[in-house]
Each structure stands twice: as structure tokens, then as C-alpha cells.
Amino acid sequence: MVWGGISLGGRCTALHVLGNARGSLTAIRYRDEILRPLVRPYAGAVGPGFLLMQDNARPHVAGVCQQFLQDEGIDAMDWPARSPDLNPIEHIWDIMSRSIHQRHVAPQTVQELADALVQAPGPDGIPGRALKVCADQLADVFADIFNMSLLQSVVPTCFKETIIVPVPKKTKILSLNDDYRPVALTSTIMMSALSAFNTIVPSKLVTKLRDLGLNSALCDWILNFLTGRPQAVRMGSTTSSTLTLNTGAPQGCVLSPLLYSLFTHDCVVATHSSNTIIKFAD
């Protein structure tokens, strides 16, 4: 089962995937795993006037769940026995369902399904969609964080953490090296992407940047950003020990193509006036 909540004004909950190891979703599980830990604080965050909109699923209308909502002072919308399901969140379930079915390799485990649904959050546990949903509220906060980071020429280590998740390129896996694509999950604040530029030597890059005229503070920030980066590999529910990297551009960062282009800008020079060299980072 997948559960999530939306409301007027853009507030939403994270998605929660419940496995079947404990059997089907009963009223007791719904109360203990959804209503108590998720709906109750969600209702408190929304504030007065919160009205829970469910449907006529058996766990929703069971006595123990109705009693819990009553005890907590949470009002639920009445649903006539044979009313059509007009819950707006059904549109979200439809979008997610189509997204899952369009994947080249379907999720095989509960963890893979959870990662696919929330687009695999990075080490901070914050899904990328949080930026879109809370953009107005987070813009000033992120601006202050980045300005302070630039001012001090220091990137906090927690922002540089990366988790590499091997994603199958094909249904039948024949080679661990060739049939998996390493997808990097970074902190949401550092903006995830799917690029890797492991040949960059930070000290040489910074020297080139200074030669190009970048100010020292920005060069120091980039050097700090590229060094001391904790990285681990996650396969299913198992995560490797952490290795600290001091070379390459961080996998999973939108800065990587730009830094790589600047690092290689002087690698190839046209030796004849009729030759045109065009370089790009893929």
C-alpha cells in the first residue's frame, strides 16, 4: 500500500510505502501505521478546519479508526455508501501508476518501489519534489545558506554526501560492470542530476579558474566543494561503508558539466584555421 496526503494551499506529506510482510492492510494497521504517526501530525500542521477526506475502504470506516479520529478531534468527510470516488488524490495515484509502468525495469521489491515513487531521496532523506512544493517557503532559506557558504568558502560536509544507487539498464543482468548505471543521490539542497565527471583534479581546476579570472573566494569555495566528499553505495536496503573522495566532480551535481567544461577548455586547440573544435559535456 502507498499512502500520501495533499491539501489546499500546496501542503503535502511524504509518500509512505507499506510492505506486505505483515499481511494485508487491516483497520489496526491503518490506525497504527497511518492515522497515528502520519495523519495526526499532518492535521496539526494544517491547523484548525482540517477535514480528512478518505473513501469507503474497509479500514477507513472501521470502528477502531473512527474512534481514533473522534478521540483525536479529527473530523472526517462523510461518504455515502455508494458514492463515486471523487477524491482529488486519485489523479496523483494515476500519474504515479503510469510513471511506474513506463519504467524500463519494474520495481521488484518494496524498497525499489519506494525509491521509484519518491525518486529516491539522497542522504538528507528529502525528495526532490519538496523543492517544487515548498519553493516559495524555501527560497529565502536556501539563499541565506548559499550566501553564507560562499562568504566563508566552505561547503558543509553533509551537503557533499552522495549515495550511489546501481540501476539496471536491462531486464537480464549479465555483467555487474556493464549492465548497471550508477545513479547518484545527493542532498536536495545541492540539486540532484545524473552526471559523473571523475577525471577532474580539483587543484588543477582551481588553477585554471584563477587563470580565467575567477575571484579567489569563489575558487576556494569550489575547491572545498570538490574535496572531502563522503560517498557510499546503496543496493536495496544495504548501504556500503563510506569512502571520502578528493578527486572528480561530485556525481549527482548540476555543477559537474560546467566544471568539467572549464577543466577541459584548453585540452584541444585547433591547429589549422579551417578546423573548428566543438566540445560538450554529456
Side-chain angles (χ1 to χ4, degrees):
M1 172 189 170
V2 179
W3 186 91
I6 60 173
S7 66
L8 293 175
R11 184 184 293 274
C12 68
T13 71
L15 286 175
H16 297 269
V17 181
L18 280 66
N20 294 324
R22 296 175 53 193
S24 59
L25 182 69
T26 63
I28 298 298
R29 286 192 67 191
Y30 185 66
R31 180 195 64 187
D32 294 343
E33 300 180 41
I34 298 296
L35 294 181
R36 180 174 285 117
L38 305 177
V39 173
R40 182 170 58 180
Y42 184 43
V46 172
F50 177 83
L51 182 63
L52 179 63
M53 185 178 185
Q54 306 182 101
D55 53 31
N56 285 321
R58 288 185 178 180
H60 297 175
V61 298
V64 293
C65 294
Q66 296 299 314
Q67 186 62 49
F68 175 84
L69 295 176
Q70 182 178 339
D71 293 343
E72 295 294 330
I74 299 175
D75 294 327
M77 183 179 292
D78 292 329
W79 283 84
R82 297 185 181 278
S83 64
D85 193 346
L86 300 178
N87 195 326
I89 204 170
E90 295 299 326
H91 297 290
I92 297 178
W93 299 144
D94 178 62
I95 294 171
M96 289 186 171
S97 176
R98 286 188 277 113
S99 175
I100 292 297
H101 284 92
Q102 289 172 358
R103 293 174 64 89
H104 183 67
V105 179
Q108 301 298 314
T109 65
V110 172
Q111 182 60 52
E112 290 179 1
L113 175 61
D115 288 345
L117 287 172
V118 302
Q119 297 182 347
D124 57 9
I126 303 174
R129 65 190 179 89
L131 293 179
K132 294 182 178 180
V133 175
C134 305
D136 293 338
Q137 295 86 348
L138 293 177
D140 291 340
V141 177
F142 282 178
D144 289 342
I145 292 174
F146 275 110
N147 286 333
M148 183 63 68
S149 176
L150 289 169
L151 181 65
Q152 299 181 359
S153 296
V154 173
V155 179
T157 302
C158 61
F159 292 170
K160 297 189 283 187
E161 292 180 1
T162 302
I163 294 179
I164 304 298
V165 178
V167 175
K169 296 179 181 178
K170 56 186 71 174
T171 305
K172 188 176 181 180
I173 303 300
L174 301 177
S175 169
L176 292 178
N177 291 331
D178 300 329
D179 294 341
Y180 282 94
R181 176 180 293 105
V183 175
L185 307 178
T186 62
S187 168
T188 299
I189 198 171
M190 295 311 295
M191 312 290 283
S192 292
L194 305 181
S195 301
F197 300 91
N198 297 320
T199 60
I200 294 177
V201 179
S203 59
K204 293 183 178 180
L205 170 63
V206 169
T207 298
K208 293 184 178 184
L209 295 179
R210 288 196 171 100
D211 292 341
L212 289 172
L214 269 70
N215 66 68
S216 296
L218 183 55
C219 289
D220 291 341
W221 184 90
I222 293 174
L223 180 61
N224 186 272
F225 174 60
L226 294 177
T227 54
R229 297 180 286 109
Q231 180 173 289
V233 177
R234 187 174 72 199
M235 193 76 168
S237 59
T238 302
T239 303
S240 72
S241 57
T242 300
L243 179 68
T244 301
L245 302 181
N246 292 297
T247 59
Q251 297 186 25
C253 177
V254 295
L255 279 177
S256 295
L258 174 61
L259 295 178
Y260 183 79
S261 296
L262 293 173
F263 183 65
T264 60
H265 81 279
D266 57 352
C267 290
V268 180
V269 179
T271 57
H272 194 278
S273 59
S274 63
N275 296 335
T276 301
I277 304 297
I278 299 176
K279 296 178 291 183
F280 69 97
D282 183 9

